[in-house]
C-alpha cells in the first residue's frame, strides 16, 4: 500500500511559484475575509498564509464578528474588489450567522476570485471552459497525475457534491475521460457503489465515513476531507481498514492539503498577471 503524500508535488509547485514570482515587478497580495471566531476559517487562513510566506506572497485578513451585517460584509468585499493593491480575495466559510454568504461571495469579482467559488467561476469549470479551478480540485488532479494514476476509462466514485469541492473535482475527472459517479448524502448504498470504483475521491468532512467496505481491493483512495477534531486533523477515510485493501491512499494530514495551498497561490499569480496585462 502506497501513501500518496502531497509534500513532494507541493514542493515542486512551490519552487515554480517562487521562480514565477520573481518575474513580478510588484508582489501580488491576497486578502482573506473570514469570521473572527470560527476555527475552520482561521485554520484555512493560517494554512494558506504559511504557504504564502514561504514563497513571499503578502497575506492580510479582514475579520467579521457576530455583529457584522450582510451589507457591511458586502461593502468590505466591494472595497477590496476596487483596491488595486489587492490581487486576490478569499472568502473563507463559514461566515458569521447573520451574514448572507451568497451575497458576500457574489461580491468577489471573477478577476480576484482565487478560490474560484463565485457562480461564474464554477460555471466555467463545469462547462470545461476555464484554465483555473478551485485549488482543491486542481490539487486532486495534480496528485493523481504526479503518482501516474490512470484516469481515462476508469470508474471514479466522487463522494460529496458541493459547489466548491465535489462538483469541480467530478467535472475535472470527467474532462480527463474518467467514468464518474457523483455520490452524496442521499445516495443509496454508498459502499456498494464506491466499492466498484477504481478510484474513490471522498470530499465530505465526516471522519471515518469511508471504510474498507467502500473500497475495491487494489483501488486508489483520495481523501479530501479535512475535519478538525479533538484528536487533530482527520480525513474521511478510516485509514487502518482502508490500508488493508487499497493499493494507494492519500494521508490526512499530508495528502491533498499541502498541494491545495500552492494550487491556490498559482491561481493568484495567473489572476495577477491577467490584471496587469489587461
Ligand atoms: P460541504 O459543503 O459540507 O459538502 C459535503 C458534501 O458531502 C455534500 O455534497 C454532502 O451531500 C456530502 N455528504 C454528507 N454526508 C454524506 C454521507 N454520509 N454520505 C455521502 N455524502 C455525504 O463540504 P465541502 O466544502 O465540500 O468540503 C468537504 C470536505 O473537504 C471538508 O472536510 C473540507 O474541510 C474539505 N476540504 C479540504 C480541502 C483540502 O485542501 N484538503 C479543501 C477544501 C475542502 P449533500 O449535498 O447531499 O448534502
Amino acid at each position: 500500500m502506497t501513501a500518496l503524500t502531497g509534500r513532494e508535488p507541493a514542493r515542486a509547485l512551490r519552487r515554480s511559484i517562487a521562480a514565477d514570482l520573481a518575474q513580478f515587478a510588484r508582489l501580488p497580495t491576497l486578502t482573506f475575509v473570514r469570521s473572527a471566531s470560527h476555527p475552520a476559517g482561521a485554520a484555512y487562513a493560517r494554512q494558506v498564509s504559511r504557504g504564502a510566506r514561504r514563497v513571499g506572497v503578502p497575506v492580510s485578513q479582514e475579520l467579521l464578528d457576530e455583529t457584522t451585517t450582510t451589507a457591511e460584509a458586502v461593502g468590505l468585499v466591494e472595497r477590496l474588489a476596487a483596491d488595486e493593491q489587492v490581487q486576490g480575495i478569499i472568502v473563507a466559510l463559514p461566515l458569521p450567522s447573520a451574514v448572507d454568504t451568497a451575497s458576500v461571495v457574489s461580491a468577489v469579482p471573477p478577476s480576484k476570485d482565487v478560490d474560484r467559488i463565485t457562480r461564474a467561476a464554477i460555471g466555467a469549470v463545469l462547462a470545461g471552459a476555464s484554465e483555473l479551478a478551485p485549488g482543491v480540485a486542481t490539487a486532486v488532479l495534480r496528485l493523481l497525475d504526479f503518482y501516474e494514476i490512470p484516469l481515462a476509462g476508469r470508474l471514479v466514485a466522487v463522494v460529496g457534491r458541493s459547489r466548491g469541492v465535489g462538483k469541480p473535482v467530478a467535472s475535472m475527472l470527467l474532462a480527463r475521460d474518467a467514468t464518474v459517479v457523483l455520490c452524496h448524502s442521499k445516495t443509496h448504498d454508498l459502499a456498494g457503489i464506491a466499492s466498484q470504483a477504481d478510484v474513490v475521491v471522498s470530499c465530505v468532512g465526516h471522519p471515518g465515513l469511508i471504510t474498507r467496505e467502500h473500497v475495491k481491493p487494489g483501488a486508489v483512495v483520495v481523501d479530501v476531507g479535512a475535519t478538525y477534531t479533538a484528536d487533530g486533523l482527520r480525513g474521511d477515510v478510516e485509514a487502518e481498514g482502508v490500508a488493508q485493501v487499497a493499493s494507494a491512499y492519500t494521508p490526512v494530514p499530508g495528502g491533498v492539503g499541502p498541494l491545495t495551498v500552492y494550487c491556490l497561490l498559482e491561481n493568484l499569480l495567473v489572476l495577477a498577471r491577467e490584471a496587469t496585462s489587461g
Side-chain angles (χ1 to χ4, degrees):
M1 217 277 314
T2 313
L4 309 176
T5 78
R7 301 203 193 286
E8 211 182 319
R11 201 176 305 128
L13 186 53
R14 190 178 75 219
R15 280 200 208 103
S16 112
I17 289 172
D20 199 5
L21 266 175
Q23 313 296 316
F24 279 75
R26 196 180 68 181
L27 284 178
T29 71
L30 178 60
T31 300
F32 271 85
V33 176
R34 67 170 179 89
S35 155
S37 56
H38 201 286
Y44 184 28
R46 204 168 41 243
Q47 196 187 14
V48 174
S49 300
R50 203 179 301 131
R53 248 194 325 273
R54 297 185 77 170
V55 292
V57 166
V59 178
S60 61
Q61 299 195 41
E62 297 284 350
L63 304 183
L64 312 179
D65 63 31
E66 287 302 314
T67 66
T68 308
T69 64
T70 298
E72 287 168 343
V74 168
L76 168 66
V77 173
E78 286 174 348
R79 281 196 300 284
L80 294 170
D83 187 344
E84 286 183 6
Q85 305 297 320
V86 175
Q87 279 70 50
I89 303 168
I90 291 183
V91 177
L93 306 183
L95 295 178
S97 48
V99 172
D100 178 48
T101 299
S103 303
V104 179
V105 168
S106 318
V108 179
S111 59
K112 297 191 180 184
D113 179 12
V114 171
D115 241 351
R116 310 314 284 164
I117 59 162
T118 55
R119 198 173 287 212
I122 288 295
V125 172
L126 300 187
S130 176
E131 185 196 340
L132 299 181
V136 62
T138 308
V140 168
L141 270 292
R142 286 261 171 90
L143 200 72
L144 290 168
D145 286 346
F146 183 84
Y147 289 102
E148 300 179 348
I149 309 294
L151 293 171
R154 312 292 290 291
L155 181 61
V156 182
V158 177
V159 189
R161 59 172 166 180
S162 72
R163 186 165 108 174
V165 186
K167 274 186 191 145
V169 166
S171 174
M172 290 172 78
L173 288 163
L174 198 55
R176 295 287 299 276
D177 294 331
T179 301
V180 180
V181 183
L182 186 49
C183 307
H184 47 79
S185 69
K186 309 292 187 296
T187 297
H188 289 172
D189 191 17
L190 178 64
I193 293 170
S195 61
Q196 293 176 44
D198 303 301
V199 180
V200 177
V201 184
S202 187
C203 324
V204 175
H206 284 194
L209 176 75
I210 304 298
T211 64
R212 58 178 299 160
E213 281 71 43
H214 295 76
V215 179
K216 180 169 85 171
V220 172
V221 180
V222 178
D223 192 351
V224 177
T227 306
Y228 289 88
T229 72
D231 298 328
L233 186 64
R234 290 284 173 269
D236 293 341
V237 172
E238 195 277 292
E240 216 169 282
V242 166
Q244 290 169 26
V245 282
S247 61
Y249 86 109
T250 64
V252 177
V256 176
L259 197 48
T260 299
V261 169
Y262 293 106
C263 291
L264 279 174
L265 293 170
E266 193 178 44
N267 282 355
L268 174 71
L269 266 56
V270 172
L271 293 175
R273 189 162 277 133
E274 279 175 6
T276 48
S277 67

